[in-house]
Amino acid sequence: MTDVRTAFPSVSSRLVTTPRLAAQVFERPADDAATPDATVVLVHGNVSSSLFFLPLMSSLPPGLRALAVDLRGFGGSRTLPVDATRGVRDFSDDVASVLDELGTGPVHIVGWSMGAGVVLQLLLDRPDLVTSVTLESPVSPYGFGGTRLDGSLMTPDAAGTGGGGANPDFVQRLADGDRTEDAGTSPRAVYRSSYVAPGFTSEYEDLWVESMLTTATGPANYPGDSVASESWPGFAAGGSGVLNTMAPTYFDVSGIVGLPSKPPITWIHGELDAIVGDASYFDLNMLGKAGIIPGWPGDDAAPPQPMVAQTRAVLDRYAAAGGEYRELRLEGCGHSPHLERPDEFRAALLEQIGAAVAEA
């Protein structure tokens, strides 16, 4: 098992207590604390923690301060229930409370996967805290599953989305602390098949598995609860837990298009992303189309969600309304560009920060 203190000696962690929660925060301090707009904040995704960011944080230039916040129910942060009827606001409000407690002021913020949705919600609710945005393999602005290209719902209750879609064996293996590779539903196997592109290896794989295993499980956390639906596949999102926060009945951050002040956005994603894609096998409609789940009603009623196309469409509207964004699509890369292509990811992030500072 990797000792993070030895492997990443420039990064330390502490518990930051706010009126909302006690959050574990990793920090790589800047050499020059007076550098303007020099704080980068990293927000992890689902079934992970800030441990995934330690190599990136360690590799950033010494003039930058880097912070990574564990979300509630992940990593070393307190496990609290997640009210999914607020979308991801429990998470984004938590991040805002940490930044307020630390007195960071506006920051350059990076969100990975679900964390990208958290970042965009933060931008909507607390634009005063955001100087620039980097989206890594982001969840669609319309959530996960159940929508057409324009974000409209396929069924009124977005059937097939939320907590009911999690594989129960994977959830049980998380709860049991399974570190093996004996089954395709073990966290280690899921990391290898879905978090990174086929063939990618890392000396820190054991650390990434430990990070996944910090996930608090249950109906109030991961994956959440579900309710019955009259539409295929027979369930819809409940009101609590992590996966329900991204159900399109509760989550929609396309409102960034209407923000009066629009920070620059960089969107980084891999062409081999197995989780977020226009034909993702984490989307139950795609599983139905592939014949893996029986009874699929067809493309007219339940097409796979065009997740990447939705992100591009919303960002195009963002740019047309006066904002700016750039897209970096990495060939041969999976869901974790900051791990798989660290040099290109870091260069794009630093270019984003430099451009934002130059405009300030």
Side-chain angles (χ1 to χ4, degrees), residues 2-22:
T2 300
D3 184 334
V4 297
R5 293 168 299 180
T6 303
F8 309 104
S10 64
V11 182
S12 61
S13 66
R14 56 177 162 143
L15 207 61
V16 175
T17 300
T18 82
R20 291 185 55 81
L21 84 166

Side-chain angles (χ1 to χ4, degrees), residues 150-170:
D150 64 357
S152 59
L153 297 176
M154 295 173 198
T155 65
D157 61 355
T161 66
N167 185 303
D169 192 57
F170 174 63

Side-chain angles (χ1 to χ4, degrees), residues 173-186:
R173 288 174 183 273
L174 284 175
D176 292 343
D178 182 2
R179 293 167 176 81
T180 71
E181 53 185 297
D182 297 340
T185 52
S186 73

Side-chain angles (χ1 to χ4, degrees), residues 304-330:
Q305 180 190 10
M307 304 177 191
V308 173
Q310 288 177 331
T311 295
R312 187 173 292 114
V314 169
L315 291 179
D316 282 346
R317 289 169 49 208
Y318 184 85
E324 59 180 272
Y325 87 94
R326 62 188 179 118
E327 176 183 352
L328 178 60
R329 179 176 178 270
L330 298 174

